[in-house]
Amino acid sequence: MKQVIIFAAVALLAMAPARSQGLVDPSKVAPEYREAAEKRRAEQIRQRECALKADLAKVLLRDRTDYLNHCLDAMAAKQ
């Protein structure tokens, strides 16, 4: 039993932490896909800005999706 616990602890420590998706770099994309990459990067930046606003406003996890959707809609309306 002790060996199982030690093995589980080692397995948990060896796992890499989960990382969020990185920003798309349009300069590293083939020229025919560059426009789509630029649009994706702009969308990722808007999402990160809204997530930061949610963190600063200390939005509860249960309300976060609604807050982010509202924030993204408001940003789209401004443009």
Side-chain angles (χ1 to χ4, degrees), residues 16-37:
R19 307 227 173 177
S20 63
Q21 183 180 11
L23 285 176
V24 173
D25 186 5
S27 65
K28 294 183 179 179
V29 177
E32 60 267 20
Y33 300 114
R34 191 154 293 148
E35 183 179 344

Side-chain angles (χ1 to χ4, degrees), residues 1-69:
M1 183 66 172
K2 187 175 181 181
Q3 292 174 337
V4 173
I5 294 172
I6 292 173
F7 179 75
V10 170
L12 287 173
L13 291 174
M15 290 180 9
R19 307 227 173 177
S20 63
Q21 183 180 11
L23 285 176
V24 173
D25 186 5
S27 65
K28 294 183 179 179
V29 177
E32 60 267 20
Y33 300 114
R34 191 154 293 148
E35 183 179 344
E38 289 170 353
K39 288 180 183 178
R40 176 66 185 140
R41 183 179 178 90
E43 179 64 24
Q44 287 176 321
I45 291 171
R46 283 192 295 275
Q47 289 174 356
R48 286 185 179 198
E49 287 175 5
C50 286
L52 180 60
K53 287 179 184 179
D55 289 341
L56 293 175
K58 297 183 180 178
V59 176
L60 296 174
L61 286 177
R62 67 174 186 222
D63 301 328
R64 189 174 178 92
T65 302
D66 187 43
Y67 183 90
L68 293 175
N69 285 334

